[in-house]
Amino acid sequence: MHVLRSLVRPRLCLALISLCLIAACDKEPGRYTASNHAITTPQPGTPFSQYVADSRAKIRDALQELRYTPEPHPFDDYTIDDAVSIRAPFEISPDNQACAQKGKTVQNGEGVGFLLVHGLSDSPYLLSDVAASLHNALPCATLHALLLPGHGTVPGDLRDVSADQWQAAVKYGLESFDDTIHHIVPVGYSMGAALVVRAAENHRNDAELSAMILLSPGFAASSDLAWLTPYVRYVKPWVDKRRDHDVAKYESLAMNAAAEFQLLTVPFGENTLPPLTQPVFMAVSSDDRTVRADIAAHFFCGKVESSNRYMIWYQGEAAALEDRIQPICDDIDVVKSATPDLRTVNHAHTAMTMRPDNPHYGLTGDYRRCDHYSEAADYKACEEDNKDAIYGETNLLESATPGTLRRGTFNPDFDAMMGKMVVFLHKVLEP
């Protein structure tokens, strides 16, 4: 494979150069250009509350200039105040009353800090339900949710961002807790999980890094062509250009961002990362079509050395775990994905972190993900009220009646997953 790539890459680059003039002439709407308000990594020592306030101001300025001024209703009925609140980083302080009632113990979150890191093109909202559940279960804990550089404003701000900037933001997040925090537990979703694991390389002997929670971990892109993105980005700016009407995240994806994700995750695919000594909780869908579930399982079985490890493997339509992953290891809890009561056939990558009753992404929420349909009639049918619509991953597209498959945006097993996560945390945080 390496020999083939060495032959292909020079020819590929020459071929792609011929496309430069075409790409340069492609005039883009405002949201596809970089704003002057991109989210960046704050200076070390910046109070987290100040980082939140500064980020909210940048989001507001970018959205006002490039979305709400040229478009009357870019996110349907959501106001700019709504959009800022949904996309911004956030901090949840301990609930002193609930903490006192349950008892100020480490298992109730006393001295515990959770750092929540979202995925590529997402915002902290994608981890808001997880944060709320953790806050309820461990009311003495402090939670910090990051907004990664280039995110939360307009998709064009991902055209000039780097994985180094994302890693710097996670480093800031890990250092953002005050001296009362003695146990830090990063929670990473999708690319955020890869960033958390990469950050652990520099914290291997840090006693404060007590555990990791990795949800739909993005350790390798599912596309066989992902390795091309670092080259293609110079002549093809976008992986996809979409409507961008989701108030919580970008729908369009810059090729540069895909390229930086590819470079970030190379060590996972090459199996060159050092082992993890920290306890790990992981939740993975067998049918994930954004990232490779097999790489996540290999990592869990081969790189997580702690005896305190736990994986939920949501088994969907794909081949059974035993047929996909060798060797099988202990500590894997296989859970069937199908949940007929919630019209869910399997777990999509985009579903893992949200409650079924989430007002935006839930079963009766206001957003329906239908961008896997290219035909206008199928897209429209998918978005309309339809009790026959099903939720699942895009591997169901060929078998589903056209217009009836919505890509899953909520986890039908959310409460059970969070219950298992809390049991894991209580065990990890035992005095």
Side-chain angles (χ1 to χ4, degrees), residues 139-389:
C140 306
T142 297
L143 296 94
H144 288 177
L146 288 174
L147 178 60
L148 293 172
H151 291 77
T153 48
V154 292
D157 282 335
L158 284 178
R159 293 184 62 173
D160 189 30
V161 73
S162 71
D164 287 344
Q165 290 173 285
W166 296 332
Q167 290 178 287
V170 174
K171 181 177 185 295
Y172 163 77
L174 291 171
E175 297 172 353
S176 66
F177 297 96
D178 62 30
D179 293 340
T180 65
I181 300 302
H182 307 295
H183 302 274
I184 297 176
V185 181
V187 181
Y189 163 60
S190 190
M191 183 180 75
L195 288 168
V196 164
V197 172
R198 295 299 306 271
E201 294 178 58
N202 300 319
H203 293 268
R204 288 180 54 79
N205 299 315
D206 190 343
E208 290 186 341
L209 189 59
S210 299
M212 296 183 197
I213 296 171
L214 311 174
L215 307 174
S216 292
F219 294 163
S222 63
S223 172
D224 292 334
L225 299 177
W227 66 275
L228 289 170
T229 54
Y231 308 95
V232 174
R233 61 175 156 179
Y234 297 110
V235 293
K236 187 180 186 321
W238 296 94
V239 177
D240 284 307
K241 287 182 179 179
R242 301 195 185 276
R243 291 171 57 193
D244 292 306
H245 73 301
D246 187 347
V247 70
K249 68 185 299 293
Y250 303 153
E251 294 173 342
S252 300
L253 180 62
M255 188 68 73
N256 174 70
E260 292 299 314
F261 172 73
Q262 169 65 16
L263 297 174
L264 173 74
T265 56
V266 164
F268 292 94
E270 295 181 346
N271 198 33
T272 56
L273 289 173
L276 282 181
T277 57
Q278 292 85 4
V280 169
F281 179 97
M282 190 180 290
V284 179
S285 169
S286 70
D287 291 13
D288 197 311
R289 287 301 179 268
T290 297
V291 298
R292 288 182 56 184
D294 59 326
I295 296 292
H298 274 301
F299 183 86
F300 180 83
C301 292
K303 291 293 187 179
V304 180
E305 294 183 339
S306 173
S307 59
N308 288 331
R309 65 179 189 176
Y310 191 92
M311 175 196 278
I312 301 175
W313 177 272
Y314 287 110
Q315 184 59 53
E317 298 292 297
L321 180 62
E322 290 81 0
D323 297 330
R324 290 170 58 86
I325 310 300
Q326 295 294 334
I328 297 300
C329 63
D330 296 331
D331 310 311
I332 297 179
D333 176 14
V334 179
V335 177
K336 291 184 179 179
S337 278
T339 310
D341 289 348
L342 294 173
R343 292 156 43 195
T344 300
V345 179
N346 60 1
H347 276 66
H349 175 82
T350 48
M352 195 69 71
T353 62
M354 308 308 297
R355 299 180 59 88
D357 60 354
N358 182 275
H360 183 54
Y361 286 130
L363 180 64
T364 60
D366 55 56
Y367 180 80
R368 291 152 185 181
R369 185 154 188 181
C370 301
D371 52 16
H372 43 280
Y373 286 115
S374 56
E375 296 293 331
D378 294 339
Y379 191 105
K380 182 179 179 182
C382 174
E383 280 199 317
E384 290 178 344
D385 290 335
N386 181 0
K387 292 183 179 180
D388 293 327

